[in-house]
Amino acid sequence: MSQGSKPLIQNTKCDCGHQNPTGTVLCEACGKPLTEEAEAQPILEMRYDGVARRSQKENPGIIDRVWNFFSSVKVAIYLILLTLVGSSLGTIFPQESTFLNIDPSVYYKEEYGQLGHIYYLLGLSHTYTSWWFVLLLVMIGASLVICSLDRVLPLYKALSRQRIPKHMSFLTRQKVVYQGQVQEDGADWVERIKPIIKKKGYRVRTDGGTLLAEKQRFSRWGPYVLHIGLIIFLLAVLGRNLPGLHMDEHMAFPQDEPVHIKNTSYYLLNDGFKVEFYTEDDMPEEFKGKNKVLPKEFQTQAILYMCEANCDDLDKEPQLVELTRHNIEVNHPLNYKGLKAYQFDYDLTPILRTVSPMLIDSKSGKEYGKITLSINDPQREYQAGEYTLTLTQSFTDFGLGDNGKPVNLSPNPNAPAFLFLIKGPDLPKEGVQYFYFPKQIDKERFNQEAINAQLAGGEALVKLDVLSMDDVDFSESTTYLNIRVDKAMPFIWVGCFIGMIGLIMGFYFTHRRIWLRIDNGTLTLGAHTNKNWFGLRKEISAILKQMNIEVDEKSLENNRGTKHESN
Amino acid sequence: MNLIDFSGDAFIVAFTLYCVAFIMYALAVMGRRFRKRDPEAHLAKWGKIAFVTATIGLIGHLLYFFTRWAGSGHVPVSNMYEFMSFLSMAIMIAFLVLYFIYKKSLLGLFALPLAILIMAYAAVFPQQVQPLIPSLQSYWLGIHVTLAALGDAFFAVGFIAGLMHLLQTVNFSGTDKGARREQRWLELVMFAIVVLIGFILSVYSFRAGGYQAEFNQTLVDPKTENSTIVKVEYNMPPLIAPYQSETESMQSFLGMKSPLMEAPSWMHGVNAGRKLNTVVWSLVTGLILYGLLRLILRKPLAKFIQPALHRLDPDDLDEISYRAIAIGFPVFTLGGLIFAMIWAEIAWGRFWGWDPKEVWALITWLFYSVYLHLRLSRGWQGKYSSWLSVIGFIVVMFTLVGVNLIIAGLHSYAGTD
């Protein structure tokens, strides 16, 4: 159509007398095409039944303009395409979040060269948390809400107020059309076909010589139900980032030691850890002989406690009450009222927990008394018979610094060491200093005896020594759990569920309508569906057959369409 | 005979039956031109025989699947061989579903070669039953993977019908810019399919010949600058050797005794050189094959195929393509995204982690939602829609194969060396 012929103000009053809102394509009452564009179509464009969308107002204000922007499906498609391209950019190199301890400003350059550095500088190394990506998601959310509202309300009104008689040009320009002669009276014929159509599951209404049959209208709401599900999903995803709704910690749990879970009053105890490996026989040929270690299963026997008292008091033991027990495995997390613990990793290196060395006279070998030393939590003072041992310094990872002085290399208990001041009978009044390395390997590595001899200014008079293996207590393994709280999860699943229902409604059911009118012995039938035209034609052909009208399925297709290539 | 061996035999029987069915389809379509009998009856008869053969093939394929399941104790979708076999089976199931709706058996003329190609691709990978690592030991493995693959299979049938629509409607006598562009792009799609056949042919020919070459590749850690030497095995003649490598042993191939060149420095990964070599071989074989076909047929492949489709109604093909995608979309959403999220939540403790495979599943979903919006709201039907279904299938295949091949991630256990 030529632009010049478009009138400035459209006359939206139909010949049938119905006053339509601006932007209406097909008369709401009789279906007659109202715009020149629709008039020129060989087959009517039936989307949204030709009703005016909410956004098609005359004189839009600012809010209307924003509304109009987001109400456009074209804009929605561009937003989806941008999100699509954006997400794919994020998969070129691994994201920062896949690494535990890296400095991205160096890492990407070292690992992936100049391109990697550019990737980092563009912010693509954290694509999915960058402002533009989140903004795209928010805009898609806005588009979902507005597009849906803009169409669903007018469509709902149109479909619930359908009139039975339709304009001739509405019927003959449907995609499925039949015209033929009937001998009997129109109203009688319509009454006769009514039960046949009903049998196919249609709701049928008649008005004299006209008929409207409709089925599975709810299928039309499918897309909107899907959009509601997606909106809930998106809100939940965006809302997760609010404080307090989300916790995600990776924690180490040495065996038999309750560990406090940060910011909660929960303690979790690793009451035993099991791991089983695949044997050589279970392996396929390609793995055999390669010393490949493949774990079959690993399990943490976890006990969850609630702290009742002395929780923040470091000097007292916290009072714990058992809440629940669960054997945590991959795919089988512990779940207690939204607090979840997932098996993440494990470490089979034994960790020394307590040692109980004996204080011995170096010369005579006389035993004075035993102390019980906790590696992680040593006391200030110990009593061994008549001797007092005062802890003056402790190390978790002992080492010698550049100046030859002892330093702590890390907070990990790799090489624990303790410096005591020992006082008692036969010792100098100010006491003697004594270095103690609980691990045998460290005793040798740092030469404990030589250090103590030096500290004593000759030979050490007393020494600490473990007499039997019973005096050593190990934690055999450490399990690593991922502790999570995610209060938005239920909304995410609800969103998915609603969306899925919408998809099923929209895609596995089809809205079909058949209009019929008889004018002076001429039957005109038009039909519309939102998908599966093939099935609709088949159904109509079967219905007409029962009325003794033989018609080939394919010939029901409106041929006016084939001359013009769509688009 | 144990179940796993039986399952392997069923696989071969299914593959053979698919090939026979495809030949019958070809005879059904081409035969009606040579014979003097009623062409319609000929097509109907042979089309039916071909369809029945394909259905029996599918039964064999199902037998493979369930006996392997029983024999290995887990749903056989845990590695690339098992997954690709399942995908080709799912494509046959999707084809059957669409057949029962539209009764167009000729769809099989294209569905079968696709299923055959994917099955042959599956057999490239090692076929032993592998034990499952703990994160895969869940019934969600079966539910998530099979349903996602079934969704993808419907997209594949959408692609087939879309491609048939394009082949049917492309105007070979047109000389204007648009017609020429379409002819060229369609021929490119045909060429891509030939390259895929070239890949499979080269893998099997060199495997049958027992070809082997070994290299010692020096890998340098960029941080510590420590270098380690890794052994890289080739099963195809090395046109391209790994980056910074020395030849350990190499069988000579057509007088070629040393690699022609080394992989570029940015392809320094352990298997990058070998993958590049495979790609080059596939292209070489594909080009030779394509050249031969052009010499024999003396016309573009698309033009050769077109007459086979002349009886089909393009509107029907367009609708089948859309319908397949419309059936597949909810299945894919459920299997590829929702169930994937549920499993990820259970196994890894997060429902979404932007792992490359997850991102590409999302991209597939976004792409098909664009397809649906363009079709339903903006009236893109016919040619446009068909081209989108072709592009969509490329996205699907990239998600399934390309991501594993090029980008690794948490899903790397489905490895593709």
Side-chain angles (χ1 to χ4, degrees):
Chain A
M1 108 185 159
S2 63
Q3 278 305 108
S5 66
K6 192 173 183 176
L8 281 174
I9 296 170
Q10 276 184 337
N11 181 13
T12 51
K13 186 159 182 173
C14 179
D15 297 346
C16 70
H18 183 79
Q19 181 63 51
N20 292 292
T22 317
T24 308
V25 183
L26 305 175
C27 172
E28 290 176 342
C30 71
K32 181 178 185 287
L34 294 176
T35 60
E36 283 182 42
E37 208 177 337
E39 187 71 47
Q41 285 169 345
I43 290 180
L44 293 178
E45 177 53 66
M46 285 286 289
R47 73 180 93 112
Y48 320 121
D49 268 30
V51 293
R53 290 189 281 117
R54 195 198 162 287
S55 58
Q56 287 168 326
K57 281 185 186 163
E58 288 176 71
N59 310 324
I62 285 191
I63 293 176
D64 290 329
R65 279 176 202 278
V66 173
W67 180 279
N68 288 0
F69 176 76
F70 282 113
S71 73
S72 152
V73 173
K74 210 182 201 165
V75 169
I77 290 171
Y78 279 120
L79 287 174
I80 300 175
L81 282 176
L82 283 174
T83 314
L84 190 158
V85 173
S87 334
S88 67
L89 289 179
T91 59
I92 297 177
F93 292 120
Q95 294 285 299
E96 282 168 32
S97 57
T98 36
F99 308 104
L100 279 177
N101 293 308
I102 58 151
D103 177 3
S105 59
V106 233
Y107 183 84
Y108 282 87
K109 191 167 192 161
E110 274 180 351
E111 196 74 4
Y112 309 108
Q114 199 53 39
L115 271 176
H117 196 57
I118 295 168
Y119 191 75
Y120 162 74
L121 290 178
L122 286 174
L124 291 172
S125 57
H126 49 89
T127 305
Y128 309 110
T129 47
S130 50
W131 63 269
W132 57 269
F133 194 80
V134 176
L135 183 70
L136 271 175
L137 291 185
V138 172
M139 282 169 79
I140 285 185
S143 166
L144 278 169
V145 174
I146 294 172
C147 266
S148 307
L149 282 180
D150 204 42
R151 289 168 176 76
V152 75
L153 297 176
L155 181 66
Y156 177 78
K157 266 193 262 170
L159 288 180
S160 51
R161 279 196 226 141
Q162 288 182 84
R163 288 222 320 226
I164 303 160
K166 287 284 179 186
H167 197 267
M168 198 55 150
S169 65
F170 177 82
L171 291 192
T172 55
R173 289 197 215 174
Q174 289 301 322
K175 221 173 153 185
V176 172
V177 169
Y178 172 78
Q179 270 187 314
Q181 301 301 315
V182 289
Q183 303 305 326
E184 54 190 288
D185 172 63
D188 293 347
W189 195 87
V190 164
E191 280 313 308
R192 219 150 53 77
I193 199 172
K194 195 174 165 180
I196 298 171
I197 300 182
K198 259 192 175 157
K199 242 193 179 143
K200 297 269 179 195
Y202 285 84
R203 280 178 295 121
V204 186
R205 290 188 288 149
T206 53
D207 184 356
T210 58
L211 173 145
L212 165 62
E214 186 178 15
K215 77 170 168 192
Q216 294 176 356
R217 187 196 286 174
F218 69 90
S219 148
R220 293 296 283 270
W221 314 128
Y224 307 104
V225 174
L226 167 65
H227 288 173
I228 291 172
L230 287 177
I231 291 161
I232 295 174
F233 183 89
L234 271 177
L235 282 178
V237 168
L238 297 170
R240 277 171 89 228
N241 300 323
L242 297 177
L245 288 179
H246 187 54
M247 175 172 96
D248 182 2
E249 297 280 347
H250 289 88
M251 295 176 71
F253 295 87
Q255 205 170 317
D256 300 325
E257 208 174 299
V259 178
H260 180 221
I261 297 170
K262 266 180 267 174
N263 304 325
T264 65
S265 49
Y266 293 117
Y267 277 71
L268 194 139
L269 171 74
N270 167 8
D271 194 34
F273 179 78
K274 280 198 309 209
V275 60
E276 201 183 315
F277 295 95
Y278 281 111
T279 62
E280 194 83 338
D281 300 334
D282 298 329
M283 301 261 199
E285 289 304 319
E286 44 175 322
F287 288 173
K288 270 183 192 161
K290 290 189 179 171
N291 277 334
K292 215 166 180 165
V293 180
L294 209 58
K296 193 173 184 179
E297 57 175 42
F298 37 101
Q299 186 188 66
T300 305
Q301 288 151 9
I303 307 175
L304 187 71
Y305 295 100
M306 167 79 88
C307 180
E308 296 268 283
N310 306 337
C311 299
D312 298 320
D313 198 339
L314 289 174
D315 293 337
K316 291 181 193 157
E317 281 285 303
Q319 276 182 29
L320 301 179
V321 178
E322 182 176 327
L323 296 173
T324 182
R325 281 167 188 259
H326 182 78
N327 294 339
I328 304 174
E329 279 173 55
V330 179
N331 280 319
H332 300 284
L334 173 144
N335 185 351
Y336 183 78
K337 293 185 179 166
L339 179 101
K340 291 178 183 171
Y342 292 87
Q343 188 67 54
F344 179 68
D345 203 355
Y346 60 89
D347 184 359
L348 295 180
T349 323
I351 292 174
L352 196 57
R353 201 159 28 207
T354 57
V355 278
S356 310
M358 181 71 82
L359 189 69
I360 305 170
D361 188 307
S362 301
K363 279 185 194 141
S364 63
K366 193 179 170 202
E367 297 174 5
Y368 294 126
K370 232 189 232 179
I371 65 167
T372 302
L373 178 63
S374 160
I375 306 294
N376 283 337
D377 190 17
Q379 295 169 34
R380 293 274 316 143
E381 214 170 73
Y382 292 94
Q383 202 66 40
E386 291 172 56
Y387 291 82
T388 322
L389 293 88
T390 314
L391 186 64
T392 52
Q393 217 176 347
S394 68
F395 304 86
T396 52
D397 193 357
F398 182 84
L400 291 172
D402 293 337
N403 53 5
K405 291 221 164 118
V407 287
N408 209 14
L409 296 177
S410 79
N412 305 326
N414 296 333
F418 301 91
L419 180 60
F420 292 106
L421 183 67
I422 308 178
K423 285 182 185 173
D426 300 336
L427 291 178
K429 206 176 167 208
E430 68 279 7
V432 287
Q433 286 198 309
Y434 186 86
F435 245 113
Y436 180 63
F437 294 90
K439 283 189 184 173
Q440 187 59 36
I441 187 168
D442 297 334
K443 276 188 185 113
E444 284 159 20
R445 193 153 62 109
F446 298 111
N447 209 343
Q448 181 181 311
E449 276 193 34
I451 294 177
N452 287 327
Q454 207 183 345
L455 286 170
E459 202 188 339
L461 297 170
V462 288
K463 61 177 183 182
L464 282 167
D465 212 352
V466 170
L467 296 179
S468 88
M469 275 318 280
D470 295 340
D471 292 333
V472 188
D473 180 26
F474 284 104
S475 155
E476 278 162 21
S477 57
T478 306
T479 185
Y480 293 92
L481 301 177
N482 181 201
I483 309 288
R484 286 175 173 259
V485 175
D486 203 338
K487 292 192 175 141
M489 275 332 279
F491 296 97
I492 286 188
W493 301 134
V494 166
C496 286
F497 183 74
I498 295 177
M500 205 53 222
I501 290 185
L503 279 174
I504 291 169
M505 279 166 69
F507 284 110
Y508 297 151
F509 296 90
T510 51
H511 180 214
R512 288 178 181 176
R513 276 178 295 173
I514 303 171
W515 297 273
L516 252 172
R517 59 185 282 168
I518 294 169
D519 310 272
N520 307 321
T522 307
L523 160 72
T524 309
L525 178 148
H528 182 259
T529 178
N530 53 349
K531 74 179 84 58
N532 193 5
W533 295 92
F534 185 89
L536 177 67
R537 292 198 299 262
K538 214 161 114 181
E539 196 165 59
I540 290 172
S541 160
I543 290 169
L544 290 178
K545 196 176 176 186
Q546 291 190 54
M547 294 298 289
N548 297 320
I549 298 174
E550 288 285 347
V551 51
D552 179 51
E553 287 166 32
K554 197 69 198 170
S555 72
L556 287 169
E557 194 169 342
N558 194 341
N559 285 324
R560 282 201 266 182
T562 52
K563 286 177 211 148
H564 307 258
E565 178 68 12
S566 57
N567 294 296
Chain B
M1 186 156 118
N2 73 31
L3 279 170
I4 303 283
D5 292 338
F6 176 80
S7 152
D9 293 344
F11 182 88
I12 292 164
V13 169
F15 184 79
T16 316
L17 282 170
Y18 288 163
C19 291
V20 171
F22 171 58
I23 294 167
M24 285 171 167
Y25 266 121
L27 285 178
V29 176
M30 296 201 290
R32 76 194 153 155
R33 278 189 280 166
F34 331 128
R35 298 270 174 89
K36 279 182 184 166
R37 53 176 95 148
D38 176 17
E40 291 303 308
H42 173 86
L43 182 68
K45 183 182 162 200
W46 283 94
K48 194 167 184 185
I49 295 175
F51 177 78
V52 171
T53 314
T55 312
I56 300 170
L58 177 61
I59 294 171
H61 211 157
L62 285 164
L63 218 56
Y64 143 82
F65 180 75
F66 286 106
T67 46
R68 192 177 170 94
W69 187 344
S72 69
H74 61 257
V75 189
V77 284
S78 63
N79 60 24
M80 213 51 180
Y81 164 70
E82 292 176 338
F83 178 76
M84 283 293 152
S85 316
F86 183 82
L87 182 67
S88 66
M89 186 169 93
I91 290 173
M92 289 306 292
I93 294 172
F95 157 65
L96 270 191
V97 169
L98 270 298
Y99 170 79
F100 281 116
I101 302 175
Y102 292 99
K103 301 279 189 281
K104 298 274 180 252
S105 71
L106 219 52
L107 213 54
L109 183 63
F110 283 75
L112 276 165
L114 185 66
I116 291 169
L117 264 180
I118 293 178
M119 226 170 154
Y121 179 60
V124 167
F125 298 101
Q127 305 180 11
Q128 286 103 347
V129 173
Q130 287 164 2
L132 291 184
I133 56 169
S135 63
L136 288 184
Q137 294 166 5
S138 164
Y139 55 88
W140 285 106
L141 166 70
I143 302 174
H144 152 61
V145 180
T146 53
L147 216 55
L150 190 64
D152 285 334
F154 277 103
F155 294 154
V157 173
F159 152 73
I160 289 163
L163 185 64
M164 286 168 87
H165 178 265
L166 290 172
L167 284 168
Q168 219 258 9
T169 56
V170 62
N171 180 8
F172 277 107
S173 50
T175 48
D176 60 298
K177 215 175 148 197
R180 286 195 174 248
R181 195 194 308 146
E182 202 186 350
Q183 291 163 17
R184 242 178 288 135
W185 279 106
L186 201 58
E187 197 56 18
L188 188 67
V189 173
M190 298 316 294
F191 176 68
I193 295 169
V194 173
V195 170
L196 214 74
I197 299 172
F199 162 72
I200 287 164
L201 276 183
S202 19
V203 169
Y204 284 104
S205 332
F206 290 122
R207 192 177 280 180
Y211 188 87
Q212 258 188 337
E214 266 188 356
F215 293 91
N216 287 323
Q217 184 182 6
T218 315
L219 293 176
V220 182
D221 188 308
K223 244 180 263 165
T224 56
E225 299 194 351
N226 286 342
S227 56
T228 44
I229 292 183
V230 184
K231 199 164 267 182
V232 183
E233 251 177 71
Y234 272 45
N235 294 315
M236 288 187 192
L239 300 171
I240 296 167
Y243 176 63
Q244 287 187 337
S245 65
E246 273 175 36
T247 315
E248 163 97 10
S249 68
M250 176 181 164
Q251 295 174 12
S252 87
F253 174 74
L254 298 177
M256 184 179 87
K257 287 203 173 65
S258 61
L260 295 182
M261 57 181 289
E262 202 169 74
S265 62
W266 53 274
M267 286 191 140
H268 50 69
V270 187
N271 292 315
R274 180 178 49 198
K275 285 174 183 173
L276 182 65
N277 189 53
T278 308
V279 169
V280 171
W281 266 111
S282 312
L283 276 171
V284 169
T285 322
L287 270 171
I288 295 171
L289 200 61
Y290 182 77
L292 281 175
L293 283 170
R294 285 296 291 262
L295 268 179
I296 298 166
L297 303 173
R298 306 215 164 259
K299 53 179 120 169
L301 301 192
K303 199 172 178 180
F304 170 74
I305 296 168
Q306 191 171 45
L309 301 171
H310 88 272
R311 269 188 73 261
L312 289 172
D313 181 61
D315 289 347
D316 282 352
L317 284 173
D318 182 45
E319 172 149 350
I320 294 173
S321 172
Y322 162 60
R323 197 72 195 287
I325 289 168
I327 294 173
F329 191 71
V331 176
F332 181 79
T333 311
L334 190 65
L337 294 173
I338 298 182
F339 285 167
M341 285 193 280
I342 295 177
W343 188 19
E345 174 72 21
I346 296 171
W348 295 319
R350 84 288 184 290
F351 70 99
W352 194 261
W354 297 106
D355 175 68
K357 198 87 171 181
E358 289 174 340
V359 176
W360 277 92
L362 176 69
I363 288 173
T364 306
W365 191 80
L366 290 174
F367 184 86
Y368 280 102
S369 50
V370 166
Y371 168 94
L372 291 167
H373 280 97
L374 282 172
R375 190 176 173 106
L376 298 174
S377 292
R378 306 214 49 92
W380 277 37
Q381 297 194 358
K383 275 195 195 310
Y384 292 96
S385 190
S386 299
W387 273 114
L388 284 179
S389 71
V390 172
I391 300 167
F393 188 64
I394 295 171
V395 176
V396 166
M397 287 319 282
F398 185 80
T399 308
L400 297 182
V401 182
V403 172
N404 299 43
L405 212 59
I406 299 168
I407 319 165
L410 279 171
H411 286 72
S412 58
Y413 36 71
T416 49
D417 318 330

